[in-house]
Amino acid sequence: MKLLFYLLDTSYEVRDNRPVILIWGLTDSGDPVLILDDTFRPYFYVLPEDKVDLTTLATRVKTLSRPPSPITKVEMVERRYYGKPVKVLRVETVIPEFVREYREKIRKIEGVRDVLEADIRFAMRYIIDRSAIPCTWYEAEVEEVEEERRYRARVYRLLSGLKQAKRDLPPDLKVVAFDIEVYNPAGSPRPKHDPVIIIAAYDGREVKQFLAEESGKGIRDAGAIRSFVSYVKELDPDIIVGYNSNGFDWPYLLERAKINNVRLDVGRVKGAEPRSSAYGHISVPGRLNVDLYDFAQEIGEVKIKSLEEVADYLGVMKKDERVLIPWYRLYEYWDNEEKRRTLLRYSRDDVIATYGLSEKFLPFAIQLSALTGLPLDQVGAASVGYRLEWYLMREAFRFGELVPNRAERRAESYKGAIVLEPKKGVHENIAVLDFSSMYPNLMIKYNIGPDTFVEGECEEDECYVIPEVGYKFRKEPPGFFKNVLTTLLRLRKQVKSEMKKYPPDSPMYRLLNERQKALKVLANATYGYMGWSGARWYFRQGAEAVTALGRATIRMAIEIAKSLGLEVIYGDTDSLFVKYDKDRVEEFIRRVGEELELEIKIDKVYRRVFFTEAKKRYVGLLEDGRVDIVGFEAVRGDWTEIAKEVQEEVAKIVLSKGEVSEAINYVRKVIADLRAGKIDITKLVIWKTLTRPISQYTAEPPHVAAAKRLIKAGYKVEVGDKIGYVVVKGAGRISDRAVPYIMADPKDVDVEYYVKHQIIPAALRILRYFGVSEKALEGVGKARKTLLDFFGKR
């Protein structure tokens, strides 16, 4: 029979001493299916030294064959390695785990230069070779396997190869969000001691909350975990989403399930529990577990990546419309009958916000998965470099190019992009002009890649010579990276053209928009990938050449701007900030395209922006009233919540209202409220993590002193715990006055410490550039009235 299905993931099992690929998918009606393929075998390549006889080498390789997983085939094939034609041996065996063993033995054979592609995971090897791309529709000839009872899906055996179907929109994927709350009277929760008190789940229709039970023996969470397992099996979701679930929720649940002798059987393989897999993600057999925190990490505009901050920024759930409880106080709300209702609302808001984020992130993640070949549950956990590398590996297979091994190497620095000295002060009506895919286009234009690099002499008409660094690259033939980037940019252009056929609110438009974003991300990552020390195609000279070309391009663009009378305020990497003059900017864009053969366009326009003398540090007010804060952020880990709030509010006041005096008055009011005891002690807690055992600290920083006080009071403290402390009044070092927040009396807090070391420094990171002093914030002396006064604009 012919089966149409949407491919979710691939894995494998070893049965009867042979590997069986498991292809998980959904039919067009949304029913889960599993297709078994036992025809694929693991293999790798042997790269010989020059002038080595391949027939003799093949014989030596065959002698290493072992009965548990015999070498079934050794054949000579032609491939390319860094662009050069090579003859290699393709060695095939039976059990994937034996590839590593054979690799190490074959490397020791005389005449072997290297063993390649032996470190590619077997399921990923199948994806590459059979073009079994996740989040893609396929047709296949199959037959149903009736005897399979260990899977929660209909099972088929693959009879013919997969054929990609002409469908774009995914099926109606069943998504469920989950979130746990943990009892934590001693601060950082520890699964060995602290039970799960609430497991919340939301499928877009109804929130379910599974609560721990209380008895004379304490809090029992076994029943809540069992109920959650039953719920997942009954709902049968295709995708499970969480927020930091790989880092916290899943490991915690697994540990608590083990302690309670409960099997966390939530997958589509009966009895198989979630387990750690590639890139640190948790794999749930037959389902896709997606940690949305991985995608939130890539939102540069949000500095604090908490669930509530990200949900607020993306418009999923506003902070002032939801319940907020500091994580370290959850136990208080559980212990208090009246407060517990608030805790349940907090848990409900968390899981609804998580589901809302999935609606924002999953469409992009699906397109990124289909493009890279990485399954949806891995593509977020993988770094940008790994995502790009899997795409490159797929392309290498298509081009017959061998994949280099990953090697241990020290990171090498090189001169980066150009960053101009900003024109200090306040500027109005500033356009930010961005080059479109500058680095990918430069790589294409100059054919930059490890396979086109020329170290010796090269005729002028045969090579490009890169300014400043002098590196040379062959003009012909096109290199591997040029071919890949040309494809990526062409596909993106085609997708953007296709988008014009659909209304912006249509499903196809949204799908195509996410696809073009994924293509852009991969193309723009290629330059940085060459300079990443972990890259298979590591090539520092290439990264260095691209940044040199980028610097030259920005300088030439600045000269064009000056020739048109456009005032350049600032420049950074592939962007220029200019005084906005519509006609001149349009002429500038035209000339850049004509003279530099690159596209540049307006990214945004600031109504007002101010620069310090420092690079990469400015605050801008956009035309729609939003504020961009770049380079001033309170990034120190020991800043309190009150310090972060003050800095953000100061930036908003200064730019949106132009009143520095109002910002000063705001800071003074916060200081007055603090001195009057009107600010909750939870906003004054300083959090630091114990990175090693207490005994190994030679000095005694404040958080270590606080940890010792916790231990003395009977609390258990372990490496990795976050220690929250406040500074109280008294003499001596800060460490002598660092008291665990749960042991502190608000009346004892050293208010003046927080004024001088938290609130004022946070505000001054911005206000000092407007001539505001510490004394002015403390109420000594007069402040000038407006932002413009500080720069003589009146």
Coordinates of all heavy atoms in Angstrom, one line a residue, residues 561-611:
A561 N 28.6 57.9 1.1 CA 27.7 58.8 1.9 C 28.2 60.2 2.0 O 27.4 61.2 1.8 CB 27.5 58.1 3.3
K562 N 29.5 60.3 2.2 CA 30.1 61.7 2.4 C 30.0 62.4 1.0 O 29.7 63.7 1.0 CB 31.5 61.6 2.8 CG 31.7 61.2 4.2 CD 33.2 61.1 4.6 CE 33.4 60.7 6.0 NZ 34.9 60.6 6.4
S563 N 30.1 61.8 -0.1 CA 30.1 62.4 -1.4 C 28.7 62.9 -1.7 O 28.5 63.9 -2.5 CB 30.5 61.5 -2.5 OG 29.5 60.5 -2.7
L564 N 27.7 62.3 -1.0 CA 26.3 62.8 -1.1 C 25.8 63.8 -0.1 O 24.7 64.2 -0.1 CB 25.3 61.6 -1.1 CG 25.5 60.6 -2.2 CD1 24.7 59.3 -1.9 CD2 25.0 61.2 -3.5
G565 N 26.8 64.1 0.8 CA 26.4 65.0 1.9 C 25.6 64.4 3.1 O 25.0 65.1 3.8
L566 N 25.7 63.0 3.1 CA 25.0 62.3 4.2 C 25.9 62.3 5.4 O 27.0 61.8 5.3 CB 24.6 60.9 3.8 CG 23.3 60.6 3.1 CD1 23.2 59.2 2.8 CD2 22.1 61.0 4.1
E567 N 25.4 62.7 6.6 CA 26.2 62.7 7.8 C 26.1 61.3 8.4 O 25.1 60.8 8.7 CB 25.7 63.7 8.8 CG 26.5 63.8 10.1 CD 25.9 64.7 11.1 OE1 24.8 65.3 10.9 OE2 26.6 64.9 12.2
V568 N 27.3 60.7 8.5 CA 27.4 59.4 9.2 C 27.6 59.5 10.7 O 28.6 60.1 11.1 CB 28.5 58.5 8.5 CG1 28.6 57.1 9.2 CG2 28.3 58.3 7.0
I569 N 26.7 59.0 11.5 CA 26.8 59.2 12.9 C 27.6 58.0 13.6 O 28.3 58.2 14.5 CB 25.4 59.2 13.5 CG1 24.5 60.3 12.9 CG2 25.4 59.4 15.0 CD1 25.1 61.7 13.1
Y570 N 27.4 56.8 13.0 CA 28.0 55.6 13.6 C 28.0 54.5 12.6 O 27.2 54.5 11.6 CB 27.1 55.2 14.9 CG 27.6 54.0 15.6 CD1 28.9 53.9 16.2 CD2 26.7 52.9 15.8 CE1 29.2 52.8 16.9 CE2 27.1 51.8 16.5 CZ 28.3 51.7 17.0 OH 28.7 50.6 17.7
G571 N 28.8 53.5 12.8 CA 28.8 52.3 11.9 C 29.3 51.1 12.7 O 30.2 51.2 13.6
D572 N 28.7 50.0 12.5 CA 29.0 48.7 13.2 C 28.7 47.5 12.3 O 27.6 47.2 11.9 CB 28.1 48.6 14.5 CG 28.5 47.5 15.3 OD1 29.4 46.7 15.0 OD2 27.9 47.3 16.4
T573 N 29.8 46.8 12.0 CA 29.8 45.6 11.2 C 29.2 45.7 9.8 O 29.9 45.9 8.9 CB 29.0 44.5 12.0 OG1 29.6 44.4 13.3 CG2 29.2 43.1 11.3
D574 N 27.9 45.7 9.7 CA 27.3 45.8 8.4 C 26.1 46.8 8.4 O 25.2 46.8 7.6 CB 26.8 44.4 7.9 CG 25.7 43.8 8.8 OD1 25.5 44.4 9.9 OD2 25.2 42.8 8.5
S575 N 26.3 47.8 9.3 CA 25.2 48.8 9.5 C 25.9 50.2 9.5 O 27.0 50.4 10.1 CB 24.4 48.6 10.8 OG 23.8 47.4 10.8
L576 N 25.1 51.2 9.0 CA 25.5 52.6 9.1 C 24.4 53.4 9.6 O 23.2 53.2 9.2 CB 25.9 53.1 7.7 CG 27.3 52.7 7.2 CD1 27.5 53.3 5.8 CD2 28.4 53.1 8.1
F577 N 24.6 54.3 10.6 CA 23.6 55.2 11.1 C 23.9 56.6 10.5 O 25.0 57.1 10.6 CB 23.8 55.4 12.6 CG 23.5 54.1 13.4 CD1 24.1 52.9 13.2 CD2 22.5 54.2 14.4 CE1 23.8 51.8 14.0 CE2 22.2 53.1 15.2 CZ 22.8 51.9 15.0
V578 N 22.9 57.1 9.7 CA 23.0 58.3 9.0 C 21.9 59.2 9.3 O 20.8 58.8 9.7 CB 23.1 58.1 7.5 CG1 24.3 57.2 7.1 CG2 21.8 57.6 6.9
K579 N 22.1 60.6 9.2 CA 21.1 61.6 9.3 C 20.1 61.3 8.2 O 20.5 61.3 7.0 CB 21.7 63.0 9.3 CG 20.7 64.1 9.6 CD 20.5 64.2 11.1 CE 19.6 65.4 11.5 NZ 19.3 65.4 12.9
Y580 N 18.8 61.1 8.6 CA 17.9 60.7 7.5 C 17.4 61.9 6.6 O 16.8 62.8 7.1 CB 16.6 60.1 8.2 CG 15.7 59.5 7.2 CD1 16.1 58.7 6.1 CD2 14.3 59.6 7.3 CE1 15.3 58.1 5.2 CE2 13.4 59.1 6.4 CZ 13.9 58.3 5.4 OH 13.0 57.8 4.5
D581 N 17.8 61.7 5.4 CA 17.3 62.6 4.3 C 16.8 61.7 3.2 O 17.6 61.0 2.6 CB 18.5 63.5 3.9 CG 18.1 64.4 2.7 OD1 17.5 64.0 1.7 OD2 18.4 65.6 2.8
K582 N 15.5 61.7 3.0 CA 14.9 60.7 2.1 C 15.6 60.6 0.8 O 16.0 59.5 0.3 CB 13.4 61.0 2.0 CG 12.6 59.9 1.2 CD 11.1 60.2 1.2 CE 10.4 59.1 0.5 NZ 10.6 59.1 -1.0
D583 N 15.7 61.7 0.1 CA 16.3 61.7 -1.3 C 17.7 61.2 -1.3 O 18.1 60.4 -2.1 CB 16.2 63.1 -1.9 CG 14.7 63.5 -2.2 OD1 13.8 62.6 -2.2 OD2 14.4 64.7 -2.3
R584 N 18.5 61.8 -0.4 CA 19.9 61.4 -0.3 C 20.1 59.9 0.1 O 21.0 59.2 -0.5 CB 20.7 62.3 0.6 CG 20.8 63.7 0.1 CD 21.6 64.6 1.1 NE 21.6 66.0 0.6 CZ 22.2 66.9 1.3 NH1 22.8 66.7 2.5 NH2 22.2 68.2 0.8
V585 N 19.3 59.4 1.0 CA 19.4 58.0 1.4 C 19.0 57.1 0.2 O 19.7 56.1 0.0 CB 18.5 57.7 2.6 CG1 18.3 56.2 2.8 CG2 19.1 58.4 3.9
E586 N 18.0 57.5 -0.5 CA 17.6 56.7 -1.7 C 18.7 56.6 -2.7 O 19.0 55.6 -3.3 CB 16.3 57.2 -2.3 CG 15.1 56.9 -1.5 CD 13.8 57.5 -2.1 OE1 13.9 58.2 -3.1 OE2 12.7 57.2 -1.5
E587 N 19.4 57.8 -3.0 CA 20.5 57.8 -3.9 C 21.7 57.0 -3.4 O 22.4 56.3 -4.1 CB 20.9 59.3 -4.1 CG 22.1 59.5 -5.0 CD 21.9 59.0 -6.5 OE1 20.8 58.7 -6.9 OE2 22.9 58.9 -7.2
F588 N 21.9 57.1 -2.1 CA 23.0 56.3 -1.4 C 22.7 54.8 -1.7 O 23.6 54.0 -2.0 CB 23.0 56.6 0.1 CG 24.0 55.7 0.8 CD1 25.3 55.9 0.7 CD2 23.5 54.7 1.7 CE1 26.2 55.1 1.5 CE2 24.3 53.9 2.4 CZ 25.7 54.1 2.3
I589 N 21.5 54.3 -1.5 CA 21.1 52.9 -1.6 C 21.4 52.5 -3.1 O 21.9 51.4 -3.4 CB 19.7 52.7 -1.2 CG1 19.5 52.8 0.3 CG2 19.2 51.3 -1.7 CD1 18.1 52.8 0.8
R590 N 21.0 53.4 -4.0 CA 21.2 53.1 -5.5 C 22.7 52.9 -5.8 O 23.1 52.0 -6.5 CB 20.6 54.2 -6.3 CG 20.6 53.9 -7.8 CD 20.2 55.1 -8.6 NE 21.3 56.1 -8.6 CZ 22.4 56.1 -9.2 NH1 22.7 55.1 -10.0 NH2 23.3 57.1 -9.1
R591 N 23.5 53.9 -5.3 CA 25.0 53.9 -5.6 C 25.7 52.7 -5.0 O 26.6 52.1 -5.6 CB 25.6 55.2 -5.2 CG 25.3 56.3 -6.2 CD 26.0 57.6 -5.9 NE 27.5 57.4 -5.9 CZ 28.4 58.3 -5.5 NH1 27.9 59.5 -5.2 NH2 29.6 58.0 -5.5
V592 N 25.3 52.3 -3.8 CA 25.9 51.2 -3.1 C 25.7 49.9 -4.0 O 26.5 49.1 -4.2 CB 25.4 51.0 -1.7 CG1 25.7 49.6 -1.2 CG2 26.0 52.0 -0.8
G593 N 24.4 49.8 -4.5 CA 24.1 48.6 -5.3 C 24.9 48.6 -6.6 O 25.3 47.6 -7.1
E594 N 25.1 49.8 -7.1 CA 25.7 49.9 -8.4 C 27.3 49.8 -8.3 O 27.9 49.1 -9.1 CB 25.4 51.3 -9.1 CG 25.9 51.5 -10.5 CD 25.4 52.8 -11.0 OE1 24.3 53.0 -11.5 OE2 26.3 53.8 -10.9
E595 N 27.8 50.5 -7.3 CA 29.3 50.5 -7.2 C 29.9 49.4 -6.4 O 31.0 48.9 -6.7 CB 29.7 51.9 -6.6 CG 29.3 53.1 -7.5 CD 29.6 54.4 -6.8 OE1 30.6 54.5 -6.0 OE2 28.9 55.4 -7.1
L596 N 29.2 48.9 -5.4 CA 29.7 47.9 -4.5 C 29.1 46.5 -4.8 O 29.5 45.5 -4.2 CB 29.5 48.2 -3.0 CG 30.1 49.6 -2.6 CD1 29.9 49.7 -1.1 CD2 31.5 49.7 -2.9
E597 N 28.1 46.5 -5.6 CA 27.3 45.3 -6.0 C 26.8 44.6 -4.8 O 26.8 43.4 -4.7 CB 28.3 44.3 -6.8 CG 28.8 44.9 -8.1 CD 29.7 44.0 -8.8 OE1 30.1 43.0 -8.2 OE2 30.0 44.2 -10.0
L598 N 26.3 45.4 -3.9 CA 25.6 44.9 -2.6 C 24.4 45.6 -2.4 O 24.2 46.8 -2.7 CB 26.6 45.0 -1.4 CG 27.8 44.1 -1.4 CD1 28.8 44.6 -0.3 CD2 27.5 42.7 -1.2
E599 N 23.4 45.0 -1.7 CA 22.1 45.6 -1.4 C 22.2 46.2 0.0 O 22.7 45.5 0.9 CB 21.0 44.6 -1.5 CG 19.6 45.2 -1.2 CD 18.5 44.1 -1.2 OE1 18.8 43.0 -1.6 OE2 17.4 44.5 -0.9
I600 N 21.8 47.4 0.2 CA 21.6 48.0 1.5 C 20.3 48.6 1.6 O 19.7 49.1 0.6 CB 22.8 49.1 1.7 CG1 22.8 49.4 3.2 CG2 22.6 50.3 0.9 CD1 24.1 50.2 3.6
K601 N 19.6 48.5 2.8 CA 18.3 49.1 2.9 C 18.1 49.6 4.3 O 18.9 49.3 5.2 CB 17.3 48.0 2.6 CG 17.4 46.8 3.5 CD 16.4 45.7 3.1 CE 16.6 44.4 3.9 NZ 15.7 43.3 3.5
I602 N 17.0 50.4 4.5 CA 16.7 51.0 5.8 C 16.1 49.9 6.7 O 15.2 49.2 6.3 CB 15.7 52.2 5.6 CG1 16.3 53.3 4.8 CG2 15.3 52.7 7.0 CD1 15.3 54.4 4.5
D603 N 16.8 49.7 7.8 CA 16.3 48.8 8.8 C 15.3 49.4 9.8 O 14.3 48.8 10.1 CB 17.5 48.2 9.6 CG 17.0 47.2 10.6 OD1 16.2 46.3 10.3 OD2 17.5 47.3 11.8
K604 N 15.6 50.6 10.3 CA 14.7 51.3 11.2 C 15.1 52.8 11.2 O 16.3 53.1 10.8 CB 14.8 50.7 12.6 CG 16.2 50.5 13.2 CD 16.1 49.6 14.4 CE 17.4 49.2 14.9 NZ 17.4 48.2 15.9
V605 N 14.3 53.6 11.7 CA 14.5 55.0 11.9 C 14.3 55.4 13.3 O 13.2 55.1 13.9 CB 13.6 55.9 10.9 CG1 13.9 57.4 11.2 CG2 13.9 55.5 9.5
Y606 N 15.3 56.1 13.9 CA 15.1 56.5 15.3 C 14.6 58.0 15.3 O 15.2 58.8 14.6 CB 16.4 56.5 16.1 CG 16.9 55.1 16.4 CD1 18.1 54.6 15.9 CD2 16.2 54.3 17.3 CE1 18.6 53.3 16.2 CE2 16.6 53.0 17.6 CZ 17.8 52.5 17.1 OH 18.3 51.3 17.4
R607 N 13.6 58.2 16.1 CA 13.2 59.6 16.3 C 14.3 60.4 17.1 O 14.6 61.5 16.8 CB 11.9 59.7 17.1 CG 10.7 59.4 16.3 CD 9.4 59.1 17.1 NE 9.2 59.9 18.2 CZ 8.3 59.6 19.2 NH1 7.6 58.5 19.1 NH2 8.2 60.5 20.2
R608 N 14.9 59.7 18.0 CA 16.0 60.3 18.8 C 16.9 59.2 19.3 O 16.4 58.1 19.7 CB 15.4 61.0 20.0 CG 16.4 61.7 20.9 CD 15.7 62.4 22.0 NE 14.9 63.6 21.6 CZ 13.8 64.0 22.2 NH1 13.4 63.4 23.2 NH2 13.2 65.0 21.7
V609 N 18.2 59.4 19.3 CA 19.1 58.4 19.7 C 20.3 59.2 20.4 O 20.6 60.3 20.0 CB 19.6 57.5 18.6 CG1 20.3 58.3 17.5 CG2 20.5 56.4 19.1
F610 N 20.8 58.6 21.5 CA 22.0 59.2 22.0 C 23.1 58.2 22.1 O 22.9 57.0 22.4 CB 21.8 60.0 23.3 CG 21.8 59.1 24.6 CD1 23.0 58.7 25.2 CD2 20.6 58.7 25.2 CE1 23.1 58.0 26.3 CE2 20.7 57.9 26.3 CZ 21.9 57.6 26.9
F611 N 24.3 58.7 21.8 CA 25.6 57.9 21.9 C 26.5 58.4 22.9 O 26.6 59.6 23.1 CB 26.3 57.9 20.5 CG 25.6 57.1 19.4 CD1 24.7 57.8 18.6 CD2 25.9 55.8 19.3 CE1 24.1 57.0 17.6 CE2 25.2 55.1 18.3 CZ 24.4 55.7 17.4

